Amino acid sequence: MKGLTPICPYCGQFSRKVGGDAIYPHRPDLYHKTFYQCAPCDAHVGTHPGTDKPLGRLANAELREWKQRTHAAFDPIWKDRYLRKSAADPDYKKGMARGGRYKRLAELMGIDKEDCHIGMFDVAACQLAIQICESGALHD
C-alpha cells in the first residue's frame, strides 16, 4: 500500500496529494503544506509536518465542523491540565497532559486508546466526545 493516497470515505476513490494552495487559495501561509483531497466530495486532510502521513481521515465540510467543535471542547481540558501539573512539576510535558486526556477519553468512549484521536473521528464520535468533555468527566 506504500505510495497510495488515502481512500475517500464518502465515494471510495483514492484522494489526490495537493499543496495548501488547492485547499486554501486565500491562505498563502498554508501553500507549503501538504494535503490529501477528494475534490468531488469536498473532503481533505492535512499531513504531519515534513511527511506524507495524514493527520487523520479525509473530512467533508460537515465533519470538519464537528472536529473543530470537538477540539474546542477537548483542547482547553488538556491544556488546563498541563498548566496545573507543569507548575508543580517542570518535567511534566504537554504530550503527557494531552495523551493522558486522550487515554481517559478513549476509556469513556469505549474505544481503544490507539483509535482515540479527533483526526480519526466520524461525526458520531465527535458528538460523543463533546458530550464527555462537557460532562466534566475529563477533569481531575
Side-chain angles (χ1 to χ4, degrees):
M1 298 300 289
K2 190 173 182 167
L4 298 179
T5 61
I7 293 175
C8 176
Y10 307 103
C11 69
Q13 299 298 310
F14 282 104
S15 59
R16 215 172 52 111
K17 188 163 93 170
V18 298
D21 56 323
I23 306 294
Y24 299 106
H26 58 287
R27 297 277 312 268
D29 59 313
L30 299 178
Y31 287 5
H32 69 284
K33 294 191 176 279
T34 302
F35 292 84
Y36 292 104
Q37 176 188 47
C38 179
C41 295
D42 185 31
H44 60 265
V45 65
T47 59
H48 289 272
T51 75
D52 289 338
K53 183 180 177 188
L55 287 165
R57 57 181 281 168
L58 277 89
N60 64 11
E62 178 189 18
L63 181 53
R64 289 192 302 272
E65 175 65 29
W66 279 105
K67 286 182 181 189
Q68 289 171 2
R69 291 180 188 181
T70 309
H71 274 293
F74 179 74
D75 292 353
I77 294 169
W78 74 258
K79 289 177 181 179
D80 177 67
R81 181 181 177 92
Y82 168 69
L83 290 175
R84 286 184 292 106
K85 293 208 172 230
S86 66
D89 178 4
D91 292 329
Y92 191 79
K93 307 293 183 212
K94 283 184 181 181
M96 296 164 75
R98 189 169 177 259
R101 293 304 79 197
Y102 263 121
K103 180 181 177 188
R104 180 69 180 133
L105 181 61
E107 292 167 359
L108 294 169
M109 291 179 72
I111 62 176
D112 288 336
K113 181 178 64 167
E114 294 76 25
D115 297 328
C116 191
H117 192 281
I118 295 167
M120 297 305 294
F121 287 176
D122 61 14
V123 171
C126 287
Q127 292 170 336
L128 177 57
I130 290 169
Q131 288 176 344
I132 291 168
C133 291
E134 292 176 348
S135 77
L138 290 179
H139 296 280
D140 56 355

